[in-house]
Amino acid sequence: QVQLVESGGGLVQPGGSLRLSCAASGTLIGIYTMDWYRQAPGKQRELVATITGGSSTVYAESMKGRFTISRDNAKNMLYLQMNSLKPEDSAVYYCKLRIPGRNDYWGQGTQVTVSS
């Protein structure tokens, strides 16, 4: 019954910003580590950022200083603030929830296109 639904993607110009959201249902996310991944056409899915249950964060090198992962446990939501977007950031962005002893859970993704 666990579901993750991403939203907030769209078309943005280089240098612009987007805020992605991931709404979780079927479980409370508060104590769990969550991630954002992205996948561009023809490329491998890559880790963008991680946030632990204690709100420690880790970013992929190319995203450091531009992206911010955050969570609102009261709302059961995960966010990704993306600034200074580049064309190479264009991808489908997915949120991920890992529950120890169980499968990882993935959303269906939201498309981000950075283009003039």
Side-chain angles (χ1 to χ4, degrees):
Q1 293 184 332
V2 176
Q3 288 190 329
L4 304 174
V5 180
E6 301 94 338
S7 62
L11 177 63
V12 64
Q13 293 184 336
S17 298
L18 284 174
R19 190 194 195 204
L20 307 183
S21 299
C22 174
S25 61
T27 191
L28 296 178
I29 68 169
I31 66 171
Y32 300 122
T33 294
M34 299 186 72
D35 309 271
W36 286 99
Y37 282 75
R38 70 185 186 188
Q39 188 168 25
K43 295 186 177 180
Q44 191 175 71
R45 187 171 296 188
E46 65 175 336
L47 178 65
V48 173
T50 297
I51 185 166
T52 70
S55 295
S56 296
T57 58
V58 181
Y59 298 91
E61 189 66 30
S62 63
M63 269 65 78
K64 288 181 180 178
R66 299 190 299 123
F67 290 9
T68 303
I69 188 171
S70 62
R71 65 197 301 157
D72 187 335
N73 293 334
K75 296 181 178 179
N76 230 34
M77 296 282 288
L78 176 73
Y79 304 101
L80 183 68
Q81 178 67 47
M82 305 187 294
N83 300 322
S84 301
L85 284 163
K86 306 172 182 179
E88 51 263 44
D89 295 320
S90 296
V92 177
Y93 284 72
Y94 301 89
C95 64
K96 173 188 171 184
L97 167 66
R98 182 157 191 160
I99 301 177
R102 297 169 63 178
N103 292 331
D104 296 339
Y105 297 93
W106 295 84
Q108 293 300 304
T110 185
Q111 177 71 53
V112 172
T113 303
V114 184
S115 177
S116 298

